[in-house]
Amino acid sequence: MGFDVVEGPEIETDYFNFEALNLHKDHPARDEQDSFYITHQLLMRTQTSPVQIRTMLDRGEPPVQVIAPGRTFRRDNVDASHSPVFHQVEGLLVDRHITLAHLKAVLFHFAREMFGKKTKARFRPDFFPFTEPSVEMAITCTVCGGDGCSVCSRTGWLEILGSGVVHPQVIRNGGLDPDECTGFAFGMGVERIAMLKYGIDDIRLFYENDVRFLKQF
Amino acid sequence: MKAPLGWLKEFVEIDIPAPELAERLTMAGLEVSEIVTERFGLEAARVARVVSKESHPSKPGLFVLKVEVDKRQLTLAANLPQFGKGSLVPIACEGFLFPDGSALTPRKMGGVPSEAKILSEADMGVSGRHDVVLPLPTEALPGDCIIDLMGISEQVLKFDLTANRGDCLSVFGIARETAAVLGKPLSKTPFDDSTPFPTDSARCQITIRDRKLCPRYTGRVLLDIRVEQSPVWMQRRLIAAGMRPINNIVDTTNYVLLETGQPLHAFDLDTIEKQKIIVRRAGKGEIIRTLDGEERKLTEDMLVIADTGRPVAVAGVMGGAETEVTENTSRLLLESAFFDPASVRRTAGALDLRSEASARFEKSVDLARVGDCSDRASRLMKELGCGRPVGPMEDVFHGKRSSKKITVSVKKINCILGTDLDENTVRDTLERLQFKVTGKRALKIEVSSHRPDVSIPEDIAEEVARIFGYNEIPMEMPMVRTHRAVTAEGFRMRSTLRGWMSGIGLDEAYCYSLSNREELERIYGGENTPDMVPISNPMAGFDTLRPSLLPGLIKAVSRNIAHGNDDVYLFETGKIFSPRHDGQPEEKDSLAFVITGRGWHFPTRQAARSQSADYSAAKGIVEDILEKLGCNAEFGRSNSIFLHPAKSAEVIVNEEKMAEFGELHPSLLQRMEIDRMVCAGEFSLEKMAPEFDKEKKFKHVSRFPSVPRNLSFIVSEEIQAGEVEKVIRKKCGGLLESIELIDVFRSEAIGKGKKSVTYSFRFRHPERTLDDEEIKQKTDEIISSVRDELGGFLREA
């Protein structure tokens, strides 16, 4: 669809990882327990969203149309659905008249390409400090096709990504003028999507590197 | 947040079934994670069918009944003759809680097991009669839960709320949202009654010393306090909403907390010194014993409620033990206040003391309703007969009294959403949410105080969108102007390399970027460990950033061998880290591979001669990559601590080390408890990058014939094959088209400390055919150079 690939550092500053994304010092998502810190100001990035800010600052003017894949780190107990190291893909489109309707269309198209042409998408409100309105997108469950099963908690839907219209403060922090341009952003966990698509039941398999697993893909 | 459906229905008409309500609220942004049926611990009251009836063996007048429920048979004794085989009977099973709090446990009565009891009206709290069996409705079926039949069980919606919706941490808050979503009016609010209370001389005095941390504090006095059990209806609502009933005073404060979202606290007024409340920061070293009996050390950034002497509560978090309401309390002080959210969050975190109260203060309570909620509680206490509220209420209010106003045009809202909503739709939607709207086209919206999360036009757009329905918003592909591409060079290079390595036949691995220092030191062998970047808050053994990709890959090989996988060929591209003395650690891109096994059969030049993943195979992989890069490389001695000193090499391009590879060092294999040969290699992508982007230039392909020759030399062991090659290349210049080491041989005849190396050459001139004389001459020159420079001798056939 015309998105360029950009990258950012794995060691991020507190500013780019949190502050610039509208996550202030007392925000619950800032709990020390959840991030690996190197120094007081440097941490292993917890999301690929910082690349949004870096790219906007780098580009200097709209349009900015990028995706930013990369490693992310969370200080979580390691189990079948949590890994301290995982990957995300971030997307950002900022231009003069970008709307929520555009976000829906782009994500819907992505869902169809990724999961099959019969896939349906459901959008519902959510909350992220760096988007407003914020959207959670779900797709028809890849396991039961929407009938309801244990994987989708009998709802028939699987939530796969968070997104929204970029918060004006974040646009400002990116050095752009929110009165001149608007944008949307989205982020998804790569391992999670792979696990849903292929039916893999344990995230740790991606990092154990057993050749019997690797050879399947 | 748990909201019992019956309680919600008090405030708004809900005429759809619970699952549909849950779906609609979820799609409006209030996610319902579960609908549970609350049975108040009375699940063990069931309808059973009598299977057999006999007279009691030893007690006259008693019958032994066997009843069946849930495919289980239970035995019970009763003196009721009316039940025979086939009758349906209400029973209490093991675990049933009687109104006095005791639980039914199986026992023996006169030698006969008594596993259940026939329920009387008194057992279910229907009447006081123990001798009347609870009547069953005609539609009762075996296995039914009595409580469901009686309509006592409650459906409860469990919400998974987003962090910005503190206003929904109450039943009324959810009812407000439900009204907006369903498009219905609120049938009532907790604040409808505003009758003032009679005045009295009993007063309290309030002083706020820190206005920022506490912009509003109210205190109401209640007299004639009578502490007892709260009524069953209130207990049941508290249980359904997830709180434990304690006594009428505490329960009322909790009830109003759940209903309105405003936490309240009751002090015994006569334990407050001079009946003076001072809201201030804690002093250095101050201590308080909280309600749970624990002693808490306070710090100066914590806000406390104090009297003229000492702290009596940790503001917004928990009350103190010395001032709590007891059965001796005769006068009560009811606190209702607004505390700074960030301060409550920090304090609750520092003391590790999170409560239903702190959870709500953290998300901000409704500043304008602080007093009204207190009144609601006072009225309720009066109704229950546990206290007599007197006025006036002390209300110290320093905060902003005016409500937030946002101006936004309908056009802007449509611009953000990509919709074409007309003004009436927008206005209606906002009014359903209790926002006051004035103006035309440029709407002036007054946001009520229960929504501190709404402050900019984008927040208004989101409110409109979520009530209108996200799924109703159209989809439209954006038109973006073409623009200068912003590409990540590193990404391109790594993608290409991954393709090359996969093409050679290796599997891509992903290893953790975080490692364990102890483990790394073991792999590196102690003092050879390079400087590494530590994690300041490690977890689960992850305390260091990886300085190289090899340790992770070596561990992966070890794991594979342990799982019985003998042929392991892995590569990884990723970042490695090293500390910089001036601050931010350095991140570098790296490519590395490890191979082990007998099944190596990937044709890569030298490796074509290997049957197993050995040094030649590793060299073959490296040469393959170098060839694809089209770069001129030299091989030199490697001093990597990972690698076997005699079976390893460095790759030098433009006088810099770009890679190294070889067999893993035997002592490393020993430390890792690996019992077989493993080869590995690592490339620096930083050094590779210039070669990657280098423009290729065509080299003329000569049409003239080439002349092959083979020569064997005997050299001492220390001479590397690469050195001999270097000497030969230097001598031949452009005439040497290719040279390849085809054999290395050792024997008694050759001698100890020596080896025979055989090279296969091809000579070719770009513009003419070479003649035998020239070839002989060149060959002689080669033999001389090797002798003079390296002390090697031609080996006679």
Side-chain angles (χ1 to χ4, degrees):
Chain A
M1 281 185 267
F3 284 81
D4 298 322
V5 178
V6 290
E7 296 187 305
E10 288 178 8
I11 298 179
E12 259 301 357
T13 62
D14 193 272
Y15 175 73
F16 279 120
N17 197 77
F18 292 123
E19 291 277 349
L21 293 166
N22 230 13
L23 276 138
H24 303 299
K25 282 240 154 4
D26 285 307
H27 195 282
R30 294 281 293 257
D31 278 343
E32 287 271 335
Q33 288 84 285
D34 296 334
S35 316
F36 284 107
Y37 276 84
I38 312 280
T39 68
H40 221 54
Q41 292 307 317
L42 293 174
L43 66 150
M44 302 308 292
R45 67 179 174 188
T46 58
Q47 50 202 349
T48 38
S49 316
V51 187
Q52 287 183 36
I53 308 279
R54 285 181 180 276
T55 310
M56 282 192 277
L57 288 171
D58 188 62
R59 183 99 182 86
E61 53 168 2
V64 177
Q65 186 181 8
V66 295
I67 54 168
R71 281 204 177 195
T72 47
F73 308 86
R74 292 264 169 95
R75 200 169 169 281
D76 262 335
N77 282 323
V78 187
D79 60 31
S81 35
H82 297 93
S83 175
V85 177
F86 57 105
H87 293 78
Q88 286 184 348
V89 171
E90 192 81 13
L92 175 70
L93 172 54
V94 178
D95 202 357
R96 296 208 191 286
H97 294 295
I98 300 299
T99 69
L100 191 58
H102 294 143
L103 171 63
K104 285 184 68 174
V106 169
L107 293 181
F108 184 59
H109 186 80
F110 162 76
R112 292 228 147 155
E113 290 298 305
M114 193 75 210
F115 296 99
K117 294 256 176 281
K118 291 218 197 78
T119 306
K120 293 204 206 52
R122 187 194 73 174
F123 299 90
R124 67 171 185 84
D126 202 330
F127 172 71
F128 308 110
F130 31 89
T131 50
E132 188 76 17
S134 305
V135 185
E136 181 82 37
M137 179 171 101
I139 48 152
T140 30
C141 180
T142 50
V143 177
C144 64
D147 295 327
C149 66
S150 59
V151 175
C152 61
S153 304
R154 268 162 286 282
T155 61
W157 296 99
L158 292 170
E159 306 218 304
I160 58 162
L161 60 81
S163 63
V165 176
V166 183
H167 196 286
Q169 188 54 47
V170 174
I171 302 257
R172 243 173 249 126
N173 294 339
L176 300 176
D177 185 351
D179 291 324
E180 287 283 316
C181 53
T182 49
F184 66 70
F186 56 85
M188 62 190 102
V190 181
E191 281 83 356
R192 177 170 155 74
I193 295 199
M195 286 168 81
L196 291 175
K197 190 172 157 122
Y198 298 114
I200 301 170
D201 60 1
D202 193 325
I203 197 174
R204 292 168 290 196
L205 288 168
F206 294 109
Y207 295 93
E208 275 166 18
N209 300 308
D210 191 313
V211 292
R212 294 167 297 163
F213 173 75
L214 298 178
K215 288 217 179 298
Q216 293 183 38
F217 300 102
Chain B
M1 176 64 204
K2 290 167 78 168
L5 196 55
W7 200 345
L8 276 177
K9 283 182 173 171
E10 223 189 275
F11 299 108
V12 62
E13 188 198 331
I14 299 171
D15 50 7
I16 51 175
E20 197 187 320
L21 176 65
E23 173 74 12
R24 291 189 62 176
L25 289 174
T26 299
M27 294 312 290
L30 269 62
E31 189 187 352
V32 178
S33 57
E34 222 186 321
I35 302 175
V36 296
T37 305
E38 176 63 58
R39 296 202 172 94
F40 309 104
L42 301 171
E43 298 85 348
R46 309 291 291 281
V47 176
R49 185 189 289 281
V50 177
V51 171
S52 71
K53 174 180 168 186
E54 282 163 17
S55 292
H56 196 285
S58 51
K59 291 197 183 316
L62 270 189
F63 300 96
V64 175
L65 299 173
K66 278 203 173 60
V67 300
E68 191 181 289
V69 66
D70 287 344
K71 297 198 173 75
R72 270 173 39 221
Q73 278 205 7
L74 300 171
T75 308
L76 62 91
N79 59 2
L80 303 160
Q82 69 265 43
F83 297 111
K85 188 164 164 188
S87 308
L88 289 183
V89 56
I91 57 165
C93 304
E94 183 174 354
F96 178 82
L97 287 175
F98 292 99
D100 66 359
S102 63
L104 187 145
T105 42
R107 56 203 174 91
K108 280 199 154 84
M109 238 169 53
V112 174
S114 179
E115 297 166 315
K117 178 192 180 293
I118 295 183
L119 283 167
S120 67
E121 284 189 350
D123 290 329
M124 289 300 289
V126 169
S127 76
R129 306 200 57 182
H130 289 275
D131 56 338
V132 177
V133 175
L134 185 77
L136 285 174
T138 41
E139 65 268 16
L141 293 170
D144 280 350
C145 258
I146 302 277
I147 196 164
D148 291 347
L149 290 173
M150 287 172 72
I152 297 175
S153 56
E154 271 264 31
Q155 282 194 298
V156 181
L157 298 175
K158 268 176 94 167
F159 288 88
D160 206 351
L161 296 168
T162 50
N164 58 332
R165 297 307 300 270
D167 66 303
C168 287
L169 288 172
S170 65
V171 174
F172 179 61
I174 293 180
R176 212 169 17 205
E177 267 295 301
T178 304
V181 170
L182 298 181
K184 290 208 192 304
L186 284 167
S187 34
K188 72 173 212 219
T189 78
F191 319 114
D192 293 336
D193 188 350
S194 51
T195 327
F197 298 113
T199 52
D200 190 281
S201 55
R203 299 280 285 272
C204 68
Q205 222 183 69
I206 298 167
T207 312
I208 299 180
R209 293 236 180 98
D210 194 316
R211 296 182 184 187
K212 188 178 162 299
L213 296 188
C214 177
R216 187 172 186 185
Y217 193 99
T218 70
R220 164 83 67 195
V221 173
L222 289 96
L223 309 172
D224 305 335
I225 299 299
R226 235 181 35 195
V227 176
E228 23 181 58
Q229 282 248 310
S230 42
V232 173
W233 67 264
M234 184 181 265
Q235 290 194 42
R236 290 220 169 117
R237 280 209 169 158
L238 288 171
I239 293 170
M243 292 189 80
R244 230 175 14 99
I246 299 171
N247 61 50
N248 52 3
I249 302 291
V250 176
D251 289 355
T252 306
T253 58
N254 283 337
Y255 187 89
V256 175
L257 172 145
L258 289 166
E259 184 182 69
T260 65
Q262 173 69 48
L264 304 165
H265 185 71
F267 294 101
D268 182 326
L269 181 62
D270 296 301
T271 63
I272 305 283
E273 206 174 290
K274 298 212 181 90
Q275 286 82 55
K276 275 196 183 143
I277 291 284
I278 303 170
V279 184
R280 60 170 173 81
R281 289 184 193 238
K284 203 167 169 164
E286 269 194 304
I287 297 178
I288 181 175
R289 195 163 67 91
T290 40
L291 284 177
D292 56 0
E294 294 282 324
E295 283 242 323
R296 312 273 173 186
K297 284 202 193 64
L298 303 166
T299 55
E300 282 156 52
D301 58 332
M302 293 182 183
L303 189 70
V304 296
I305 311 301
D307 60 18
T308 51
R310 81 287 198 214
V312 295
V314 182
V317 179
M318 194 173 275
E322 324 285 327
T323 52
E324 79 172 302
V325 167
T326 66
E327 68 258 13
N328 299 318
T329 304
S330 60
R331 302 194 301 168
L332 190 147
L333 170 63
L334 185 65
E335 163 197 289
S336 179
F338 182 106
F339 300 118
D340 176 72
S343 165
V344 172
R345 201 176 103 75
R346 274 194 300 267
T347 304
L351 296 174
D352 199 18
L353 200 55
R354 285 166 191 90
S355 56
E356 296 280 354
S358 68
R360 286 163 177 81
F361 283 120
E362 276 179 29
K363 301 251 159 74
S364 181
V365 297
D366 190 345
L367 184 60
R369 288 283 191 200
V370 166
D372 296 331
C373 294
S374 172
D375 283 349
R376 162 64 178 149
S378 300
R379 257 174 257 285
L380 199 48
M381 285 192 193
K382 179 163 168 241
E383 241 175 74
L384 298 181
C386 48
R388 188 164 57 86
V390 291
M393 178 169 70
E394 294 298 325
D395 183 355
V396 183
F397 190 173
H398 293 296
K400 279 204 289 277
R401 285 172 200 270
S402 57
S403 42
K404 230 171 356 192
K405 289 187 184 60
I406 304 174
T407 306
V408 57
S409 66
V410 177
K411 182 162 176 273
K412 170 102 176 151
I413 292 175
N414 280 323
C415 259
I416 293 170
L417 302 178
T419 47
D420 191 21
L421 302 170
D422 64 72
E423 192 189 304
N424 285 330
T425 312
V426 174
R427 190 186 288 275
D428 278 340
T429 309
L430 293 172
E431 280 171 352
R432 267 158 63 161
L433 288 161
Q434 316 232 309
F435 298 160
K436 289 196 188 56
V437 186
T438 51
K440 277 191 93 55
R441 274 179 293 153
L443 302 173
K444 287 191 193 29
I445 301 153
E446 201 179 301
V447 180
S448 36
S449 54
H450 70 269
R451 295 298 306 273
D453 61 306
V454 175
S455 51
I456 55 174
E458 285 76 6
D459 295 327
I460 297 290
E462 185 180 68
E463 293 301 297
V464 171
R466 68 185 186 85
I467 299 295
F468 178 68
Y470 273 25
N471 285 314
E472 304 301 314
I473 292 173
M475 284 195 220
E476 199 192 318
M477 284 297 255
M479 280 218 294
V480 188
R481 295 168 287 151
T482 44
H483 49 281
R484 173 173 63 87
V486 180
T487 29
E489 294 300 326
F491 185 80
R492 258 195 328 121
M493 182 163 80
R494 289 198 320 273
S495 291
T496 308
L497 286 169
R498 286 161 71 206
W500 289 348
M501 295 298 272
S502 298
I504 291 174
L506 293 108
D507 292 314
E508 187 174 11
Y510 279 76
C511 301
Y512 287 137
S513 313
L514 309 164
S515 322
N516 176 270
R517 175 170 287 269
E518 228 179 273
E519 207 171 54
L520 285 170
E521 280 171 357
R522 189 158 57 94
I523 292 176
Y524 278 95
E527 71 275 5
N528 292 316
T529 316
D531 282 334
M532 304 188 289
V533 182
I535 302 281
S536 65
N537 57 338
M539 181 203 76
F542 294 115
D543 59 13
T544 311
L545 294 180
R546 65 182 177 188
S548 148
L549 294 181
L550 287 176
L553 287 171
I554 294 168
K555 273 179 69 181
V557 167
S558 176
R559 254 197 311 268
N560 270 288
I561 292 173
H563 290 164
N565 304 322
D566 294 320
D567 299 326
V568 189
Y569 322 120
L570 302 173
F571 78 91
E572 183 177 9
T573 64
K575 289 198 193 276
I576 56 178
F577 305 89
S578 50
R580 272 210 282 258
H581 58 91
D582 66 343
Q584 185 150 353
E586 205 180 350
E587 290 180 30
K588 286 205 281 247
D589 274 322
S590 177
L591 163 70
F593 66 89
V594 274
I595 53 176
T596 185
R598 307 246 97 224
W600 184 262
H601 52 262
F602 307 110
T604 53
R605 303 213 285 148
Q606 289 233 327
R609 271 163 257 276
S610 312
Q611 297 298 325
S612 63
D614 59 9
Y615 176 79
S616 296
K619 187 163 184 213
I621 294 172
V622 173
E623 283 180 337
D624 205 75
I625 300 293
L626 292 172
E627 185 180 270
K628 290 184 164 79
L629 288 169
C631 62
N632 293 318
E634 274 178 15
F635 292 90
R637 203 172 284 280
S638 158
N639 49 16
S640 163
I641 51 107
F642 287 116
L643 307 173
H644 191 307
K647 301 218 182 75
S648 60
E650 242 177 39
V651 177
I652 307 204
V653 175
N654 297 329
E655 277 149 52
E656 291 209 44
K657 178 174 90 171
M658 189 175 88
E660 53 197 358
F661 67 94
E663 270 184 42
L664 289 187
H665 201 294
S667 56
L668 169 57
L669 292 174
Q670 198 176 47
R671 286 198 297 277
M672 295 300 293
E673 289 170 19
I674 295 174
D675 59 356
R676 58 197 76 179
M677 175 172 65
V678 178
C679 293
E682 191 163 16
F683 293 80
S684 155
L685 298 195
E686 193 193 336
K687 300 279 173 353
M688 195 193 280
E691 294 303 308
F692 198 84
D693 292 324
K694 203 179 56 182
E695 282 203 0
K696 289 202 158 90
K697 279 247 147 72
F698 169 65
K699 283 200 257 272
H700 187 79
V701 180
S702 168
R703 296 181 195 289
F704 295 92
S706 67
V707 182
R709 282 281 183 277
N710 276 10
L711 288 175
S712 293
F713 295 99
I714 298 180
V715 294
S716 79
E717 274 292 351
E718 296 99 63
I719 306 285
Q720 277 206 319
E723 291 175 68
V724 181
E725 209 177 290
K726 207 164 156 188
V727 167
I728 297 174
R729 275 191 197 276
K730 214 171 57 177
K731 205 76 243 186
C732 297
L735 283 187
L736 181 70
E737 182 176 79
S738 71
I739 171 170
E740 213 174 313
L741 173 69
I742 58 171
D743 192 35
V744 180
F745 185 67
R746 294 170 182 83
S747 76
E748 288 260 336
I750 292 176
K752 230 169 78 162
K754 292 206 205 310
K755 61 187 175 189
S756 159
V757 289
T758 305
Y759 290 92
S760 172
F761 307 76
R762 272 195 183 270
F763 293 104
R764 202 197 301 253
H765 195 284
E767 276 136 32
R768 57 183 170 76
T769 310
L770 295 163
D771 60 52
D772 285 337
E773 262 305 308
E774 282 177 283
I775 305 291
K776 174 117 191 359
Q777 193 194 343
K778 256 302 150 207
T779 317
D780 287 338
E781 279 175 30
I782 288 170
I783 294 168
S784 311
S785 293
V786 172
R787 186 191 57 222
D788 295 337
E789 290 185 51
L790 299 174
F793 291 91
L794 185 69
R795 178 175 161 206
E796 305 304 332

